[in-house]
Amino acid sequence: MEQRFVYADHSATTGVRPEVLEAMLPYLKEEYGNPSSIYKKARTAKEALEKARDQVAKAIGAKSATEVFFTGSGTEADNWALKGIFEAYANKGNHIITTAVEHHAILHTCEYLEKVRGAKITYLPVDSEGFVRLDALKDAITDETILVSVIAANNEIGTINPIKEIAEICHEKGVLLHVDAVQAIGNIPIDVQEMGIDLLSMSGHKFYAPKGVGALYVKKGVRLPSFIHGGDQERKKRAATENIPGIVGMGVAIELAVAEMEERNRTLIPLRDRLINEIEEKIPFAKLNGPREKRLPGHVNFSFEFIEGESLLLLLDMAGICASSGSACTSGSLDPSHVLMAIGLPHEIAHGSLRLTLGRENTAEDVDYIMEKLPPIVERLREMSPLYEDYLNGNTQPIIMKK
Ligand SMILES: *Cc1c(COP(=O)(O)O)cnc(C)c1O
């Protein structure tokens, strides 16, 4: 097969889809009005803003569009939810519960709240497939607990958490639930009312909208202070002239992502499963990270013993395949991923992990191409590995069993 280009890193970001770009273009060109002004041109922008808010509210099953606040990113939505609830509910308590496998947008915000603002944080353990331990959640809630924050679907290993059950536990104890749904939106069904979610973070660039636009859903009645002070935008809670082109793009993208989800997953899930099965068949000493079921469509994560994830990525890149090891945010650092540590992987094999995340434009030929390139690359890296040589010489036992 000749050289192809295969983008298999959709959990890191996605490209803006044509319909989204088309919808955005007028607001980058002639419709540049500031929605806060009063003339007709401004009203056009204001109407576009409110239409997008409706689209987002519908896509997540919100009761009202007034529960949706646009932000500059998923990271900002996460920061706002945690810092805002901590501030608004200080009279009730200072305890926040989250999990060991959150995105850094949650974990580093929690570290800040703990070190600088006097919060008490509990990091719930997960099981070997990355699911939050519900018994641990029940035990962790105290009279001081004000918020539980749980990732809906894990960006590194694809695990889909039982959000509805988690919400029931929280509400029994009168505690608010925030959900980081950045990976979930457009990939699995999300309905904030049906699932019992109080706050929910989203990010446009994970579902084919541009980068630099996100949103926070805040259920009516939940107190949340302003995050950016200034003008009256976003009902005085998030000042700054709105990113109208980005917001319009996010509205169209979320509508399309949700409308097409079922049909897209009918092709994506079999492609994912074929990739998983073929890697297990063709590459010895390979371990699937995360569950087989209840995992994001298109999401594959493996550890390969005796090799370094970074060298694997470089050789895949030379073959035209974009992939990542762990999350994009941790690549470039030498620490093994906190998610792989939390599911109990030993350091040695956590370092040799590979994440391949397929999206709407991937085809069966892409999977064929990955399976043509990946096994010989892994083989080549092993041939250069002193650890593999030790094993071949009978000096060490492998951690992952040969299939
Ligand atoms: C990408 C991601 C974020 C951050 O979103 P940005 O818009 O890139 O800031 C937060 N949480 C999860 C789970 C993500 O995958």
Side-chain angles (χ1 to χ4, degrees), residues 190-305:
I190 292 288
D191 185 315
V192 289
Q193 289 191 75
E194 199 262 325
M195 296 168 107
I197 295 167
D198 298 300
L199 302 107
L200 177 121
S201 301
M202 300 160 254
S203 173
H205 76 97
K206 302 287 173 76
F207 49 78
Y208 310 95
K211 291 153 189 68
V213 60
L216 180 65
Y217 159 82
V218 186
K219 188 180 173 179
K220 189 170 182 241
V222 172
R223 297 196 301 272
L224 196 76
S226 300
F227 194 57
I228 296 182
H229 304 275
D232 291 351
Q233 295 91 352
E234 298 301 286
R235 298 168 62 229
K236 296 194 186 171
K237 287 192 187 289
R238 202 273 186 185
T241 303
E242 301 88 340
N243 169 11
I244 298 297
I247 289 170
V248 165
M250 180 164 169
V252 173
I254 201 168
E255 189 174 277
L256 289 169
V258 170
E260 296 171 357
M261 179 162 61
E262 245 185 79
E263 195 188 323
R264 191 178 54 249
N265 286 347
R266 272 201 288 274
T267 41
L268 213 45
I269 291 172
L271 282 186
R272 171 197 74 189
D273 291 343
R274 178 153 79 84
L275 192 50
I276 290 174
N277 293 338
E278 292 191 9
I279 288 175
E280 287 180 329
E281 270 164 36
K282 296 193 178 136
I283 305 179
F285 311 112
K287 179 192 176 295
L288 176 70
N289 294 316
R292 250 163 244 276
E293 310 270 316
K294 292 185 192 159
R295 98 178 273 136
L296 282 172
H299 199 298
V300 176
N301 185 312
F302 270 93
S303 286
F304 300 111
E305 197 167 352

Side-chain angles (χ1 to χ4, degrees), residues 11 73-75 78 103 105 151 153 155 180 182-183 203 205-206:
S11 281
S73 62
T75 299
D78 283 345
H103 189 274
I151 194 163
N155 49 304
D180 177 338
V182 172
Q183 293 288 332
S203 173
H205 76 97
K206 302 287 173 76

Side-chain angles (χ1 to χ4, degrees), residues 25-33 40-42 44-45 244:
L25 280 176
Y27 300 94
L28 288 163
K29 291 178 174 171
E30 61 273 16
E31 296 298 350
Y32 51 77
K40 187 159 177 299
K41 194 174 200 61
T44 310
I244 298 297

Side-chain angles (χ1 to χ4, degrees), residues 14 51 61-62 73 88 120 126 130 175 189 197 217 253 260 307 350 364 373:
T14 60
K51 181 179 172 196
S73 62
K120 274 199 306 212
V126 295
V175 175
I197 295 167
Y217 159 82
E260 296 171 357
I307 64 172
K373 296 294 176 185

